[in-house]
Coordinates of all heavy atoms in Angstrom, one line a residue:
M56 N 0.8 -1.2 0.0 CA 0.0 0.0 0.1 C 0.9 1.3 0.0 O 1.8 1.3 0.9 CB -0.9 0.0 1.3 CG -1.8 1.1 1.3 SD -3.0 1.0 2.8 CE -3.9 2.5 2.5
F57 N 0.5 2.2 -0.9 CA 1.4 3.4 -1.0 C 0.9 4.5 0.1 O -0.3 4.7 0.2 CB 1.1 4.0 -2.4 CG 1.8 5.4 -2.6 CD1 3.2 5.4 -2.7 CD2 1.3 6.5 -2.5 CE1 4.0 6.6 -3.0 CE2 2.0 7.7 -2.7 CZ 3.3 7.7 -3.0
Y58 N 1.9 5.0 0.8 CA 1.6 6.0 1.8 C 2.4 7.2 1.4 O 3.5 7.2 1.3 CB 2.1 5.5 3.2 CG 1.3 4.5 3.8 CD1 1.7 3.1 3.6 CD2 0.2 4.8 4.7 CE1 0.9 2.2 4.3 CE2 -0.6 3.9 5.2 CZ -0.2 2.5 5.0 OH -0.8 1.5 5.6
P59 N 1.6 8.3 0.9 CA 2.3 9.5 0.6 C 2.9 10.2 1.8 O 2.4 10.2 2.9 CB 1.1 10.4 0.0 CG -0.2 9.9 0.8 CD 0.1 8.5 1.1
L60 N 4.1 10.9 1.6 CA 4.9 11.5 2.7 C 5.0 13.0 2.4 O 4.7 13.8 3.3 CB 6.2 10.8 2.8 CG 6.2 9.3 3.3 CD1 7.7 8.9 3.3 CD2 5.7 9.3 4.7
E61 N 5.5 13.3 1.1 CA 5.8 14.7 0.9 C 5.7 15.1 -0.5 O 6.0 14.1 -1.4 CB 7.2 15.0 1.3 CG 7.6 16.5 1.4 CD 6.8 17.3 2.4 OE1 5.6 17.8 2.0 OE2 7.2 17.5 3.5
K62 N 5.3 16.3 -0.9 CA 5.3 16.7 -2.3 C 6.7 16.8 -2.6 O 7.5 17.4 -2.0 CB 4.4 18.0 -2.4 CG 3.0 17.9 -2.1 CD 2.3 17.2 -3.3 CE 0.8 17.3 -3.1 NZ 0.0 16.3 -4.0
L63 N 7.1 16.5 -3.9 CA 8.5 16.6 -4.4 C 8.9 18.1 -4.4 O 10.1 18.4 -4.1 CB 8.6 16.1 -5.8 CG 8.2 14.6 -5.9 CD1 8.3 14.2 -7.4 CD2 9.3 13.8 -5.2
A64 N 8.0 19.1 -4.5 CA 8.4 20.5 -4.6 C 8.9 21.0 -3.2 O 9.5 21.9 -3.1 CB 7.1 21.3 -5.0
K65 N 8.5 20.3 -2.2 CA 8.8 20.6 -0.9 C 10.2 20.2 -0.4 O 10.7 20.4 0.6 CB 7.8 20.3 0.2 CG 6.5 21.0 0.0 CD 5.6 20.8 1.2 CE 4.3 21.6 1.2 NZ 3.5 21.5 2.3
L66 N 10.8 19.3 -1.2 CA 12.1 18.6 -0.8 C 13.2 19.6 -1.3 O 13.1 20.1 -2.3 CB 12.2 17.2 -1.5 CG 11.2 16.2 -0.9 CD1 11.2 14.9 -1.8 CD2 11.5 15.9 0.6
H67 N 14.2 19.5 -0.5 CA 15.4 20.3 -0.8 C 16.6 19.7 0.0 O 16.4 19.1 1.0 CB 15.2 21.9 -0.4 CG 14.8 22.0 1.0 ND1 15.7 22.0 2.0 CD2 13.5 22.1 1.5 CE1 15.0 22.2 3.1 NE2 13.6 22.1 2.9
D68 N 17.8 20.1 -0.3 CA 18.9 19.7 0.4 C 18.8 20.2 1.9 O 18.4 21.4 1.9 CB 20.3 20.1 -0.1 CG 20.6 19.2 -1.3 OD1 19.9 18.2 -1.7 OD2 21.6 19.6 -2.1
G69 N 19.0 19.3 2.9 CA 18.8 19.8 4.3 C 17.5 19.4 4.7 O 17.2 19.5 6.0
Y70 N 16.5 18.9 3.8 CA 15.2 18.5 4.3 C 15.3 17.4 5.4 O 16.1 16.4 5.0 CB 14.3 18.2 3.1 CG 13.0 17.7 3.5 CD1 11.9 18.5 3.3 CD2 12.7 16.3 3.9 CE1 10.6 18.0 3.7 CE2 11.5 15.8 4.2 CZ 10.4 16.8 4.1 OH 9.2 16.2 4.5
Q71 N 14.6 17.4 6.4 CA 14.6 16.3 7.3 C 13.3 16.4 8.1 O 13.0 17.4 8.9 CB 15.8 16.4 8.3 CG 16.0 15.4 9.3 CD 17.5 15.4 9.9 OE1 18.4 15.7 9.2 NE2 17.6 15.5 11.2
K72 N 12.5 15.3 8.0 CA 11.2 15.3 8.7 C 10.8 14.0 9.1 O 10.9 13.0 8.4 CB 10.1 15.9 7.7 CG 8.7 16.1 8.4 CD 7.9 16.8 7.4 CE 6.5 17.0 8.0 NZ 5.6 17.8 7.0
A73 N 10.2 13.8 10.3 CA 9.8 12.6 10.9 C 8.3 12.2 10.6 O 7.5 13.3 10.5 CB 10.0 12.4 12.3
F74 N 8.0 11.1 10.3 CA 6.6 10.5 10.1 C 6.4 9.3 10.8 O 7.2 8.5 11.2 CB 6.5 10.2 8.7 CG 6.7 11.4 7.6 CD1 7.9 11.7 7.2 CD2 5.6 12.1 7.3 CE1 8.1 12.8 6.3 CE2 5.7 13.2 6.3 CZ 7.1 13.5 5.9
V75 N 5.0 9.2 11.3 CA 4.7 7.9 11.9 C 3.5 7.3 11.0 O 2.5 8.0 10.8 CB 4.2 8.2 13.4 CG1 3.7 6.8 13.9 CG2 5.4 8.6 14.2
L76 N 3.8 6.1 10.5 CA 2.9 5.4 9.7 C 2.5 4.1 10.4 O 3.5 3.3 10.4 CB 3.3 5.3 8.2 CG 3.5 6.5 7.5 CD1 4.1 6.1 6.1 CD2 2.2 7.3 7.3
E77 N 1.4 3.8 10.7 CA 1.1 2.6 11.3 C 2.0 2.4 12.5 O 2.2 3.2 13.3 CB 1.0 1.4 10.3 CG -0.1 1.6 9.2 CD -0.3 0.4 8.4 OE1 0.5 -0.5 8.3 OE2 -1.4 0.5 7.6
S78 N 2.8 1.3 12.4 CA 3.7 1.0 13.5 C 5.1 1.5 13.2 O 6.0 1.2 13.9 CB 3.7 -0.4 13.9 OG 4.1 -1.3 12.7
H79 N 5.3 2.1 12.1 CA 6.6 2.7 11.6 C 6.9 4.0 12.0 O 6.1 4.9 11.7 CB 6.7 2.3 10.1 CG 6.6 1.0 9.7 ND1 7.6 0.1 9.7 CD2 5.5 0.3 9.1 CE1 7.0 -1.1 9.3 NE2 5.8 -1.0 8.9
S80 N 8.0 4.3 12.5 CA 8.5 5.6 12.8 C 9.6 5.8 11.7 O 10.6 5.1 11.7 CB 9.1 5.8 14.2 OG 9.5 7.0 14.4
L81 N 9.4 6.9 10.8 CA 10.3 7.1 9.7 C 11.0 8.4 9.7 O 10.3 9.4 10.4 CB 9.4 6.9 8.3 CG 8.7 5.6 8.2 CD1 7.8 5.6 7.0 CD2 9.6 4.4 8.1
L82 N 12.0 8.5 9.0 CA 12.7 9.8 8.9 C 13.0 10.0 7.4 O 13.7 9.2 6.8 CB 13.9 9.9 9.7 CG 14.6 11.2 9.8 CD1 13.7 12.3 10.5 CD2 15.9 11.1 10.6
L83 N 12.5 11.0 6.8 CA 12.7 11.3 5.4 C 13.9 12.4 5.4 O 13.6 13.6 6.0 CB 11.4 11.8 4.7 CG 11.6 12.2 3.3 CD1 12.2 11.1 2.3 CD2 10.3 12.7 2.7
L84 N 14.8 12.3 4.6 CA 15.9 13.3 4.4 C 16.3 13.4 3.0 O 16.2 12.5 2.2 CB 17.2 12.9 5.2 CG 17.1 12.3 6.6 CD1 17.2 10.8 6.7 CD2 18.3 12.9 7.4
Q85 N 16.9 14.7 2.7 CA 17.5 14.9 1.5 C 18.8 15.6 1.8 O 18.8 16.7 2.4 CB 16.6 15.6 0.4 CG 17.3 15.9 -0.8 CD 16.4 16.6 -1.9 OE1 15.3 16.2 -2.2 NE2 17.0 17.6 -2.6
M86 N 19.9 15.1 1.1 CA 21.2 15.8 1.2 C 21.9 15.5 -0.2 O 21.8 14.4 -0.7 CB 21.9 15.5 2.4 CG 22.4 14.0 2.5 SD 23.4 13.7 4.0 CE 22.1 13.7 5.3
D87 N 22.6 16.6 -0.6 CA 23.3 16.4 -1.9 C 22.5 15.9 -3.0 O 22.9 15.1 -3.8 CB 24.6 15.6 -1.7 CG 25.5 16.2 -0.7 OD1 25.6 17.4 -0.6 OD2 26.1 15.4 0.0
G88 N 21.2 16.2 -3.0 CA 20.2 15.7 -4.0 C 19.8 14.4 -3.8 O 19.0 13.9 -4.7
Q89 N 20.3 13.6 -2.9 CA 19.9 12.2 -2.6 C 18.8 12.2 -1.6 O 18.9 12.9 -0.5 CB 21.1 11.4 -2.1 CG 22.2 11.3 -3.3 CD 21.7 10.4 -4.5 OE1 21.1 9.4 -4.4 NE2 21.9 11.0 -5.5
R90 N 17.9 11.3 -1.7 CA 16.7 11.2 -0.7 C 17.0 9.9 0.0 O 17.2 8.9 -0.7 CB 15.4 11.4 -1.4 CG 15.2 12.8 -2.0 CD 14.1 12.7 -3.0 NE 14.0 14.0 -3.6 CZ 13.5 14.2 -4.8 NH1 13.0 13.3 -5.6 NH2 13.5 15.4 -5.2
Y91 N 16.6 9.9 1.3 CA 16.7 8.7 2.1 C 15.6 8.6 3.0 O 15.0 9.6 3.6 CB 18.0 8.8 3.0 CG 19.3 9.0 2.3 CD1 19.8 10.2 2.1 CD2 20.0 7.9 1.7 CE1 21.0 10.5 1.4 CE2 21.2 8.0 1.0 CZ 21.6 9.4 0.9 OH 22.8 9.7 0.2
L92 N 15.1 7.4 3.2 CA 14.0 7.2 4.0 C 14.4 6.0 5.0 O 14.7 4.9 4.6 CB 12.6 6.7 3.3 CG 11.5 6.5 4.2 CD1 11.1 7.8 4.9 CD2 10.3 6.0 3.4
I93 N 14.6 6.4 6.3 CA 15.2 5.4 7.3 C 14.2 5.3 8.5 O 13.3 6.2 8.6 CB 16.5 5.9 7.7 CG1 16.4 7.2 8.5 CG2 17.5 5.9 6.6 CD1 17.7 7.6 9.2
E94 N 14.3 4.1 9.1 CA 13.7 4.1 10.4 C 14.1 5.2 11.4 O 15.4 5.3 11.5 CB 13.9 2.7 11.0 CG 13.1 2.5 12.3 CD 13.3 1.2 12.9 OE1 14.4 0.4 12.5 OE2 12.5 0.7 13.6
N95 N 13.3 5.8 12.0 CA 13.6 7.0 12.9 C 14.1 6.5 14.2 O 13.5 6.7 15.3 CB 12.5 8.0 13.0 CG 12.9 9.2 13.7 OD1 14.1 9.5 13.9 ND2 12.0 10.0 14.1
R96 N 15.3 5.7 14.2 CA 15.7 5.1 15.5 C 17.1 4.8 15.3 O 17.7 4.3 14.4 CB 15.0 3.6 15.7 CG 15.5 3.0 16.9 CD 14.8 1.6 16.9 NE 15.3 0.7 15.8 CZ 16.5 0.0 15.9 NH1 17.2 0.1 17.0 NH2 16.9 -0.7 15.0
C97 N 18.0 5.3 16.2 CA 19.4 5.1 16.2 C 19.7 3.7 16.6 O 19.2 3.3 17.7 CB 20.1 6.1 17.2 SG 21.8 5.8 17.3
P98 N 20.5 3.0 15.8 CA 20.7 1.6 16.3 C 21.6 1.5 17.5 O 21.7 0.4 18.1 CB 21.6 1.0 15.1 CG 21.2 1.9 14.0 CD 20.9 3.3 14.6
H99 N 22.2 2.6 18.0 CA 23.0 2.6 19.3 C 22.1 2.2 20.5 O 22.2 1.3 21.2 CB 23.8 3.8 19.4 CG 24.6 3.8 20.7 ND1 24.8 4.9 21.5 CD2 25.4 2.9 21.2 CE1 25.5 4.6 22.4 NE2 26.0 3.4 22.4
M100 N 21.2 3.2 20.7 CA 20.3 3.1 21.9 C 18.9 3.5 21.7 O 18.1 3.9 22.6 CB 20.9 3.9 23.2 CG 22.1 3.3 23.8 SD 22.8 4.1 25.1 CE 21.7 3.6 26.4
D101 N 18.5 3.3 20.4 CA 17.1 3.5 20.0 C 16.5 4.9 20.1 O 15.3 5.0 20.2 CB 16.2 2.5 20.8 CG 16.4 1.1 20.6 OD1 17.2 0.8 19.4 OD2 16.2 0.2 21.3
V102 N 17.4 5.9 20.2 CA 17.0 7.3 20.3 C 16.4 7.8 18.9 O 17.1 7.4 17.9 CB 18.1 8.2 20.8 CG1 17.7 9.6 20.6 CG2 18.4 7.9 22.1
P103 N 15.3 8.4 18.9 CA 14.9 9.0 17.5 C 16.0 9.9 16.9 O 16.6 10.5 17.6 CB 13.6 9.8 17.9 CG 13.1 9.3 19.2 CD 14.4 8.9 19.9
L104 N 16.1 9.8 15.5 CA 17.0 10.7 14.9 C 16.5 11.9 14.3 O 17.0 12.5 13.4 CB 17.6 9.8 13.7 CG 18.5 8.6 14.2 CD1 18.8 7.6 13.1 CD2 19.7 9.1 14.8
T105 N 15.3 12.3 14.8 CA 14.6 13.5 14.2 C 15.4 14.7 14.1 O 15.4 15.4 13.2 CB 13.3 13.7 15.1 OG1 12.6 12.7 15.2 CG2 12.5 14.8 14.5
T106 N 16.3 14.9 15.1 CA 17.1 16.1 15.1 C 18.6 15.8 14.8 O 19.5 16.6 15.1 CB 17.0 16.9 16.5 OG1 17.5 16.0 17.5 CG2 15.6 17.2 16.8
A107 N 18.8 14.6 14.3 CA 20.3 14.2 13.9 C 20.8 15.2 13.0 O 20.1 16.0 12.3 CB 20.2 12.9 13.3
E108 N 22.1 15.4 13.0 CA 22.9 16.4 12.3 C 23.2 15.8 11.0 O 24.0 14.7 10.9 CB 24.1 16.9 13.1 CG 25.0 17.8 12.4 CD 26.3 18.1 13.1 OE1 26.6 17.5 14.1 OE2 27.1 18.9 12.6
Q109 N 22.9 16.5 9.9 CA 23.4 16.1 8.6 C 24.8 16.4 8.4 O 25.3 17.7 8.7 CB 22.6 16.7 7.5 CG 21.1 16.2 7.5 CD 20.2 16.6 6.3 OE1 20.8 17.0 5.3 NE2 19.0 16.4 6.3
L110 N 25.7 15.6 7.8 CA 27.1 15.8 7.6 C 27.3 15.6 6.1 O 26.6 15.1 5.4 CB 27.8 14.6 8.4 CG 27.6 14.6 9.9 CD1 28.4 13.4 10.5 CD2 28.0 15.9 10.7
P111 N 28.5 16.2 5.7 CA 28.9 16.1 4.3 C 29.0 14.5 3.9 O 29.2 13.7 4.8 CB 30.3 16.7 4.3 CG 30.3 17.6 5.5 CD 29.5 17.0 6.5
A112 N 28.8 14.5 2.6 CA 28.9 13.1 1.9 C 28.0 12.1 2.5 O 28.4 10.9 2.7 CB 30.3 12.7 2.1
G113 N 26.8 12.4 2.8 CA 25.7 11.4 3.2 C 25.9 11.0 4.7 O 25.5 9.8 5.0
G114 N 26.5 11.7 5.5 CA 26.7 11.3 6.9 C 25.5 11.8 7.7 O 24.9 12.9 7.4
L115 N 25.2 11.1 8.9 CA 24.0 11.6 9.7 C 24.6 11.3 11.1 O 25.0 10.2 11.5 CB 22.9 10.8 9.4 CG 21.6 11.3 10.2 CD1 21.2 12.7 9.7 CD2 20.4 10.3 10.1
R116 N 24.6 12.3 12.0 CA 25.2 12.2 13.3 C 24.1 12.2 14.4 O 23.4 13.2 14.4 CB 26.3 13.2 13.7 CG 26.8 13.0 15.0 CD 27.8 14.1 15.4 NE 28.9 14.5 14.4 CZ 30.0 13.8 14.3 NH1 30.1 12.7 15.0 NH2 30.8 14.1 13.3
C117 N 24.0 11.1 15.0 CA 23.0 11.2 16.2 C 23.4 12.1 17.3 O 24.5 12.1 17.7 CB 22.8 9.7 16.7 SG 21.7 9.5 18.1
R118 N 22.5 12.9 17.8 CA 22.8 13.8 18.7 C 23.0 13.3 20.1 O 23.5 14.0 21.0 CB 21.9 15.0 18.8 CG 21.9 15.9 17.5 CD 21.0 17.1 17.5 NE 21.1 17.8 16.2 CZ 21.9 18.7 15.8 NH1 23.0 19.0 16.5 NH2 21.7 19.3 14.6
A119 N 22.5 12.1 20.4 CA 22.5 11.5 21.7 C 23.9 11.2 22.2 O 24.3 11.7 23.4 CB 21.7 10.2 21.7
H120 N 24.7 10.6 21.4 CA 26.1 10.2 21.7 C 27.1 10.4 20.8 O 28.3 10.0 20.9 CB 26.1 8.8 22.2 CG 25.1 8.3 23.3 ND1 24.0 7.6 23.0 CD2 25.0 8.6 24.6 CE1 23.3 7.4 24.0 NE2 23.9 8.1 25.1
G121 N 26.6 11.0 19.7 CA 27.5 11.5 18.6 C 27.9 10.5 17.6 O 28.9 10.8 16.8
I122 N 27.3 9.4 17.6 CA 27.8 8.3 16.5 C 27.3 8.8 15.2 O 26.1 9.3 15.0 CB 27.2 7.0 16.9 CG1 27.9 6.5 18.2 CG2 27.6 6.0 15.8 CD1 27.4 5.3 18.7
A123 N 28.1 8.7 14.2 CA 27.7 9.1 12.8 C 27.5 7.9 12.0 O 28.2 6.9 12.2 CB 28.9 10.0 12.2
F124 N 26.5 8.0 11.1 CA 26.2 6.9 10.2 C 26.4 7.4 8.8 O 26.2 8.5 8.5 CB 24.8 6.5 10.5 CG 24.6 5.9 11.8 CD1 24.3 6.6 12.9 CD2 24.7 4.5 12.0 CE1 24.1 6.1 14.2 CE2 24.5 3.9 13.2 CZ 24.3 4.7 14.3
D125 N 26.6 6.4 7.9 CA 26.7 6.7 6.4 C 25.4 6.3 5.8 O 24.9 5.1 5.9 CB 27.8 5.8 5.9 CG 27.9 5.9 4.3 OD1 28.0 7.0 3.9 OD2 27.8 4.9 3.7
L126 N 24.6 7.3 5.4 CA 23.3 7.0 4.9 C 23.3 6.0 3.7 O 22.4 5.2 3.7 CB 22.5 8.3 4.5 CG 22.0 9.1 5.7 CD1 21.5 10.4 5.4 CD2 20.8 8.3 6.3
P127 N 24.1 6.2 2.7 CA 24.0 5.3 1.6 C 24.2 3.8 2.0 O 23.4 2.9 1.5 CB 25.1 5.7 0.6 CG 25.3 7.2 1.0 CD 25.1 7.2 2.5
S128 N 24.9 3.5 3.0 CA 25.2 2.1 3.4 C 24.3 1.8 4.6 O 24.1 0.7 4.9 CB 26.7 1.8 3.6 OG 27.1 2.5 4.7
G129 N 24.1 2.8 5.4 CA 23.5 2.6 6.8 C 24.4 2.3 7.9 O 24.0 2.2 9.0
K130 N 25.7 2.1 7.5 CA 26.6 1.6 8.6 C 27.1 2.8 9.4 O 27.3 3.9 9.1 CB 27.9 1.1 7.9 CG 27.7 -0.2 7.2 CD 29.0 -0.9 6.7 CE 28.8 -2.3 6.3 NZ 30.1 -2.8 5.7
A131 N 27.4 2.4 10.7 CA 28.0 3.4 11.6 C 29.4 3.6 11.1 O 30.2 2.9 10.5 CB 28.0 2.8 13.0
Q132 N 29.9 5.0 11.3 CA 31.3 5.2 11.0 C 32.1 5.1 12.2 O 31.6 5.1 13.4 CB 31.3 6.7 10.5 CG 30.5 6.9 9.2 CD 30.5 8.3 8.9 OE1 30.8 9.3 9.6 NE2 30.0 8.6 7.6
G133 N 33.5 4.8 12.0 CA 34.4 4.8 13.2 C 34.4 3.3 13.8 O 33.9 2.4 13.1
P134 N 35.0 3.3 15.0 CA 35.2 2.2 15.6 C 33.9 1.2 15.9 O 34.2 0.0 16.1 CB 35.9 2.5 16.9 CG 35.5 3.9 17.2 CD 35.3 4.5 15.9
L135 N 32.8 1.7 15.9 CA 31.7 1.0 16.2 C 30.9 0.4 14.9 O 30.0 -0.3 15.0 CB 30.6 1.7 16.9 CG 31.0 2.2 18.3 CD1 29.9 3.1 18.9 CD2 31.2 1.0 19.2
A136 N 31.7 0.5 13.8 CA 31.0 0.2 12.5 C 30.7 -1.3 12.5 O 29.6 -1.7 11.9 CB 32.1 0.4 11.3
N137 N 31.4 -2.1 13.1 CA 31.1 -3.6 13.1 C 30.2 -4.0 14.3 O 30.0 -5.2 14.3 CB 32.4 -4.4 12.9 CG 33.1 -4.2 11.5 OD1 32.4 -4.0 10.5 ND2 34.4 -4.0 11.6
Q138 N 29.9 -3.1 15.1 CA 29.2 -3.5 16.4 C 27.8 -3.2 16.4 O 27.0 -3.7 17.2 CB 30.0 -3.0 17.7 CG 31.4 -3.4 17.8 CD 32.1 -2.8 18.9 OE1 31.4 -2.5 20.0 NE2 33.4 -2.5 18.8
L139 N 27.4 -2.2 15.6 CA 26.1 -1.7 15.6 C 25.4 -2.2 14.4 O 26.0 -2.3 13.3 CB 26.0 -0.2 15.6 CG 26.6 0.5 16.9 CD1 26.5 2.0 16.7 CD2 25.7 0.1 18.1
D140 N 24.1 -2.5 14.5 CA 23.2 -2.6 13.3 C 23.3 -1.4 12.4 O 23.5 -0.3 12.8 CB 21.7 -2.9 13.6 CG 21.6 -4.2 14.5 OD1 22.5 -5.1 14.3 OD2 20.6 -4.3 15.3
C141 N 23.0 -1.6 11.1 CA 22.9 -0.6 10.2 C 21.5 0.1 10.3 O 20.6 -0.5 11.0 CB 22.9 -1.1 8.7 SG 24.6 -1.8 8.3
L142 N 21.4 1.4 9.9 CA 20.2 2.1 9.8 C 19.3 1.4 9.0 O 19.7 0.9 7.9 CB 20.4 3.5 9.3 CG 21.3 4.5 9.9 CD1 21.5 5.8 9.1 CD2 20.7 4.9 11.3
K143 N 18.1 1.2 9.4 CA 17.1 0.4 8.5 C 16.6 1.4 7.4 O 16.0 2.4 7.7 CB 16.0 -0.1 9.3 CG 15.0 -0.9 8.6 CD 13.9 -1.5 9.4 CE 13.0 -2.4 8.4 NZ 11.8 -3.0 9.2
Q144 N 16.7 1.0 6.1 CA 16.3 1.8 5.1 C 15.0 1.3 4.5 O 14.7 0.1 4.4 CB 17.4 1.7 4.0 CG 18.8 1.9 4.6 CD 19.5 3.3 4.0 OE1 18.9 4.0 3.5 NE2 20.7 3.4 4.5
F145 N 14.2 2.2 4.0 CA 12.9 1.9 3.3 C 13.1 2.5 1.9 O 13.5 3.6 1.7 CB 11.7 2.6 4.1 CG 11.5 2.0 5.3 CD1 12.2 2.4 6.5 CD2 10.4 1.0 5.4 CE1 11.8 1.8 7.7 CE2 10.2 0.4 6.8 CZ 10.8 0.9 7.9
P146 N 12.6 1.7 0.9 CA 12.7 2.1 -0.5 C 11.6 3.2 -0.6 O 10.5 3.1 -0.2 CB 12.3 0.9 -1.3 CG 11.7 0.0 -0.4 CD 12.1 0.3 1.1
L147 N 12.0 4.3 -1.3 CA 11.1 5.4 -1.7 C 10.2 5.0 -2.8 O 10.6 4.1 -3.8 CB 11.9 6.6 -2.1 CG 12.6 7.2 -0.8 CD1 13.7 8.3 -1.5 CD2 11.8 7.9 0.1
A148 N 9.0 5.5 -2.9 CA 8.0 5.3 -3.9 C 7.6 6.6 -4.4 O 7.5 7.6 -3.6 CB 6.9 4.3 -3.5
Y149 N 7.2 6.7 -5.6 CA 6.7 8.0 -6.2 C 5.3 7.7 -6.8 O 5.1 6.8 -7.5 CB 7.7 8.5 -7.3 CG 9.0 8.8 -6.6 CD1 10.0 7.9 -6.5 CD2 9.3 10.2 -6.3 CE1 11.2 8.1 -6.0 CE2 10.5 10.4 -5.7 CZ 11.5 9.5 -5.6 OH 12.6 9.8 -5.0
D150 N 4.4 8.7 -6.7 CA 3.2 8.8 -7.2 C 3.0 10.3 -7.8 O 2.6 11.1 -7.0 CB 2.0 8.3 -6.3 CG 0.6 8.3 -6.9 OD1 0.6 8.3 -8.2 OD2 -0.4 8.3 -6.2
G151 N 3.2 10.4 -9.1 CA 3.1 11.7 -9.6 C 4.0 12.6 -8.9 O 5.2 12.4 -9.0
D152 N 3.5 13.7 -8.3 CA 4.4 14.7 -7.7 C 4.6 14.5 -6.3 O 4.9 15.3 -5.5 CB 3.8 16.1 -8.0 CG 2.5 16.3 -7.2 OD1 1.9 15.3 -6.7 OD2 1.9 17.4 -7.2
T153 N 4.3 13.3 -5.8 CA 4.4 12.9 -4.5 C 5.4 11.7 -4.2 O 5.4 10.8 -4.9 CB 3.1 12.6 -3.8 OG1 2.1 13.6 -4.1 CG2 3.0 12.2 -2.4
L154 N 6.2 11.9 -3.1 CA 7.0 10.9 -2.7 C 6.4 10.2 -1.5 O 5.8 10.8 -0.6 CB 8.4 11.5 -2.3 CG 9.5 10.6 -1.8 CD1 10.8 11.3 -2.1 CD2 9.4 10.4 -0.3
G155 N 6.7 8.9 -1.4 CA 6.0 8.1 -0.4 C 6.8 6.8 -0.1 O 7.9 6.7 -0.5
V156 N 6.0 5.9 0.5 CA 6.6 4.6 0.8 C 5.5 3.6 0.6 O 4.4 3.8 0.8 CB 7.2 4.6 2.2 CG1 6.2 4.8 3.2 CG2 8.0 3.3 2.5
E157 N 6.0 2.4 0.2 CA 5.1 1.2 0.1 C 5.3 0.4 1.3 O 6.4 0.0 1.6 CB 5.4 0.3 -1.1 CG 5.1 1.0 -2.4 CD 3.7 0.9 -3.0 OE1 2.9 0.2 -2.2 OE2 3.4 1.5 -3.9
L158 N 4.3 0.3 2.2 CA 4.4 -0.6 3.3 C 3.3 -1.8 3.3 O 2.4 -1.7 2.7 CB 4.0 0.3 4.6 CG 5.1 1.3 4.9 CD1 4.7 2.2 6.1 CD2 6.5 0.7 5.2
Ligands
LIG229 S1 21.6 6.7 20.8 FE1 22.4 7.4 18.9 S2 24.5 7.7 19.3 FE2 23.6 6.7 21.2

């Protein structure tokens, strides 16, 4: 089932917004022209990433303890890379001028 999230015209680099759909907590982001839809949960200690800091080259830093993740791969950066789960990614879906997700 397609769930609309945002009009394409509203997306821009730096965009970052949380959504709750059914039992899913999601975070939609755009940086460097790339769009990402991830579970809004840090794999470290389950803190929401709603206010996470966008970093250059697709990085995202959780503000709770400062761990940075690579959005394209979902992996944590640095020494915890092999100890933490990856960010959970959801495939984006499009319907006309609207971006959403199939759940
Ligand atoms: S909960 Fe995100 S870095 Fe600890």
